[in-house]
Amino acid sequence: MSILDHYQSARHLTLQPGTLFEVGHTSVNGEDLLAYVNAPQNLRDMWQLATLHGEAEYLVYGDERWTYNRAAEDVAAVATWLQEQGIVPGDRVAIAMRNYPEWMLAHWAINAVGGVVVGMNAWWVADEMAYALNDSQPKLLIADDRRLAAFAAIAGDFPDIQVVSVREPESPVPATDWQSLLQSGASLPTVAIDPDSEACIFYTSGTTGRPKGAQLTHRSCVANIMNVGAMGRIYATAQTLHRGIEVSEPVAPPTVTALIATPLFHVTANNCIVQAGTVAGGKFILMYKWDPIEAMGLIQKEQVTTLSAVPMMTRELLAHPDREDFDLSSLTAMGGGGAAMQPDLVGKVAAETQKAKPTQGYGMTEVSGIITYIAGDLFLAFPESAGPVVPTLEARCVDHEGNVLGSGEIGEVCVRGTPVIKGYLNRPEATQETIVDGWLHTGDIGYIDDHGFIYLVDRAKDMILRGGENVYGAEVENAIFDHPAVLECVAFAVPDERLGEEVGAAIHLKEGALLDAAGLREHLASKLAAFKIPRYIWFLSEPLPRNANGKFLKRELKEVLDPASAD
């Protein structure tokens, strides 16, 4: 039998009635949706299951280590403190920090009292932070040193937000120190939480130039955790069958030790790796920022089994000249999400490591995590595919008029199911445009084959995917247009070997105006996070080409502009 046959047998075995991952139906806002029969009701319930792992190691940051028992004590203490501050179900609490253990501890504590986590992009400058705070209206901000410095510049505009400082004894704004929250002997408060209430707001770039706050619910996050768990069992079972070993029940995958190299303010690391892995008793090694040498040292020291990264990071490790100086033999999986793994990289993972297999999750914030997942020998057999759809999502492709397309026909990928978000915060029109009759329009172009595997052929219009970070051209353009010398501009993706794509911008100045690349980048530094500032800038003497409707012809510009000629 082929690996595809074994995958299909494993899927049937894992999802059949009477198993942990039995799939049935549930009604959500009058819609009949696929759901796990045995799913917990909310993230508080999920966390309580995780605490049963006791003295197993949970979070590692440098020389600091948390067991599940220690984490349970900290989460209970912070949750109790939050309740004492008046945080009740539905209240929002913003988290602004890099990948510190406190990110996850705060996250579980906030959700445990029914609060809503507002994930703040740690790369945002003060103006971007101010926008999200105005949009989400949190009662409390938990922030580290650099994020406190950014908030200090705008604190006068938010006098009612209470602040908790993390790893910063000399906060530039009045704040309660995180350590003072950790009273011993606290018990996790008992709180009733509606499964369809908000659990998290993660910001995702929008075509208007300002990010949209995606409203993830407890139900959608739990569904994603269950999907990750189910797919893990399906692939473990399929690999076992493929080795010629017969099984009568699903095979549980080994407990992971994962290196977290991507930000926790995205669903890739937070929802798909740490949330899902926490319930399974995983151990998570947190990196402050990506560094290949540090990563290889951590893999060797902590015996990391799973690298949670964007493809660029996997590619850098495989190509690093010092790779042979480190023992990376513990790795069994390399991949992750946030960007599509190029087909050539799929084969390289298997060919250039001792036992690691390629893995990839295709997803988005709007489904609280993954839409598809593919791994191991199945990925090697179908390297150009994003993989099969997860159990509690339905998928279809539609044309520009909304007609459902058949197998192999290219159109927009749409999905429906319990992992789909509630909508966009304060954006009813955007919600109605994106979620139509219960179907989420992903903006991704692709097709579905006879096996139910999704293939992506293009991405959402105008999106630039830089090393796993979404950058929309409109946001970059708006910041460029704010410069008085600029008359016309367009921003677009420029292929980049290391990051997948870089930000490029073509600009036509006003007559007689003077501006160079250095001046423009200096202007943008106060308006955009560093990763959004164009690496490639072209100043064109002629007006930018337009179509009959007056729209700039981005695609034509991308085809004729040479990166070597950019500033």
Side-chain angles (χ1 to χ4, degrees):
M1 295 175 66
S2 69
I3 183 60
L4 178 59
D5 294 325
H6 289 138
Y7 163 78
Q8 291 170 337
S9 296
R11 188 175 179 112
H12 173 75
L13 195 62
T14 302
L15 307 179
Q16 67 183 330
T19 62
L20 174 62
F21 294 100
E22 176 184 349
V23 174
H25 292 262
T26 192
S27 178
V28 181
N29 298 323
E31 287 189 78
D32 183 49
L33 302 176
L34 292 171
Y36 290 102
V37 173
N38 301 309
Q41 291 295 296
N42 51 60
L43 289 175
R44 182 184 185 279
D45 293 346
M46 280 290 192
W47 172 245
Q48 287 191 295
L49 289 173
T51 60
L52 299 176
H53 296 296
E55 283 302 300
E57 285 195 309
Y58 178 36
L59 301 174
V60 176
Y61 181 76
D63 295 329
E64 303 173 55
R65 308 180 97 81
W66 274 256
T67 63
Y68 278 84
N69 279 342
R70 180 187 174 187
E73 292 173 0
D74 287 359
V75 168
V78 175
T80 298
W81 182 86
L82 288 169
Q83 202 171 60
E84 290 171 350
Q85 304 310 304
I87 299 299
V88 299
D91 286 345
R92 297 175 184 136
V93 179
I95 304 176
M97 70 178 86
R98 296 296 285 263
N99 282 8
Y100 290 131
E102 288 86 351
W103 210 111
M104 289 310 305
L105 299 172
H107 156 273
W108 289 119
I110 295 164
N111 282 157
V113 296
V116 184
V117 173
V118 179
M120 309 284 283
N121 190 315
W123 291 0
W124 280 343
V125 295
D127 177 68
E128 294 165 310
M129 179 182 281
Y131 167 78
L133 293 175
N134 274 315
D135 188 54
S136 61
Q137 295 291 305
K139 289 189 174 181
L140 197 144
L141 170 67
I142 303 175
D144 65 9
D145 51 355
R146 294 193 180 183
R147 271 40 68 176
L148 286 168
F151 180 69
I154 56 173
D157 297 329
F158 303 97
D160 298 327
I161 294 182
Q162 188 176 353
V163 179
V164 173
S165 61
V166 174
R167 298 175 184 258
E168 177 49 87
E170 298 180 3
S171 172
V173 297
T176 302
D177 185 74
W178 172 270
Q179 292 299 319
S180 70
L181 276 53
L182 305 181
Q183 53 185 302
S184 62
S187 299
L188 195 69
T190 300
V191 180
I193 301 173
D194 182 350
D196 294 311
S197 63
E198 290 179 2
C200 179
I201 295 171
F202 276 154
Y203 280 87
T204 181
S205 296
T207 54
T208 59
R210 283 294 195 180
K212 302 190 292 289
Q215 298 167 290
L216 286 65
T217 67
H218 283 268
R219 188 190 301 277
S220 70
C221 290
V222 168
N224 180 69
I225 291 171
M226 295 289 286
N227 277 329
V228 173
M231 296 304 284
R233 292 205 175 197
I234 289 169
Y235 282 105
T237 306
Q239 291 290 138
T240 301
L241 292 171
H242 201 51
R243 292 197 299 268
I245 303 172
E246 292 298 322
V247 296
S248 58
E249 58 185 32
V251 177
T255 302
V256 302
T257 296
L259 182 65
I260 307 300
T262 53
L264 288 169
F265 51 78
H266 284 327
V267 295
T268 301
N270 187 78
N271 293 37
C272 299
I273 307 300
V274 183
Q275 273 189 1
T278 295
V279 179
K283 172 182 170 183
F284 304 96
I285 320 302
L286 304 177
M287 294 189 71
Y288 181 84
K289 64 178 181 179
W290 173 249
D291 178 85
I293 290 289
E294 181 184 352
M296 290 188 289
L298 287 170
I299 292 168
Q300 175 177 286
K301 178 184 177 182
E302 301 293 343
Q303 291 295 285
V304 169
T305 62
T306 300
L307 174 64
S308 168
V310 293
M312 173 270 293
M313 297 173 180
T314 297
R315 194 178 290 276
E316 282 194 349
L317 288 192
L318 294 179
H320 202 282
D322 297 333
R323 190 182 71 172
E324 297 303 320
D325 295 339
F326 296 88
D327 180 4
L328 307 182
S329 62
S330 61
L331 283 171
T332 60
M334 295 183 74
M341 183 179 281
Q342 299 87 356
D344 75 293
L345 189 55
V346 176
K348 284 180 179 178
V349 168
E352 298 185 20
T353 63
Q354 293 186 30
K355 58 185 178 184
K357 298 286 187 180
T359 66
Q360 176 175 273
Y362 156 57
M364 58 195 306
T365 307
E366 286 82 351
V367 295
S368 310
I370 55 173
I371 293 172
T372 67
Y373 184 72
I374 189 166
D377 290 339
L378 190 68
F379 201 5
L380 293 170
F382 297 90
E384 296 181 355
S385 174
V389 179
V390 296
T392 61
L393 280 176
E394 302 170 74
R396 67 187 189 188
C397 289
V398 300
D399 63 18
H400 64 281
E401 295 178 348
N403 299 311
V404 179
L405 301 173
S407 174
E409 294 185 291
I410 294 176
E412 183 181 11
V413 177
C414 300
V415 295
R416 176 178 180 268
T418 43
V420 174
I421 62 169
K422 177 181 178 180
Y424 295 116
L425 181 65
N426 303 323
R427 303 283 191 92
E429 292 183 0
T431 300
Q432 291 172 6
E433 291 174 1
T434 303
I435 305 174
V436 181
D437 297 328
W439 287 89
L440 172 74
H441 287 245
T442 67
D444 291 324
I445 307 303
Y447 64 91
I448 304 173
D449 70 9
D450 292 335
H451 306 301
F453 288 28
I454 290 180
Y455 290 76
L456 301 175
V457 298
D458 202 354
R459 287 193 298 274
K461 183 180 179 182
D462 294 342
M463 188 177 78
I464 303 156
L465 196 56
R466 182 191 180 277
E469 287 287 339
N470 291 351
V471 183
Y472 272 78
E475 184 179 11
V476 178
E477 289 163 7
N478 289 345
I480 294 174
F481 271 124
D482 194 54
H483 195 289
V486 174
L487 180 63
E488 299 175 347
C489 77
V490 292
F492 47 82
V494 178
D496 182 82
E497 183 175 347
R498 178 173 177 269
L499 295 170
E501 291 178 347
E502 270 280 8
V503 183
I507 298 163
H508 179 59
L509 300 177
K510 295 176 181 177
E511 186 175 353
L514 298 175
L515 180 65
D516 60 13
L520 178 61
R521 292 189 178 105
E522 181 179 358
H523 164 78
L524 296 177
S526 63
K527 300 182 178 299
L528 297 172
F531 71 94
K532 300 176 185 178
I533 296 175
R535 175 183 173 185
Y536 299 97
I537 298 174
W538 293 268
F539 289 98
L540 306 182
S541 60
E542 299 294 325
L544 305 185
R546 303 169 183 253
N547 64 14
N549 295 323
K551 294 182 179 181
F552 294 127
L553 300 175
K554 290 189 180 185
R555 183 166 298 178
E556 283 77 356
L557 276 171
K558 289 171 63 174
E559 291 175 353
V560 300
L561 292 175
D562 183 0
S565 67
D567 295 319

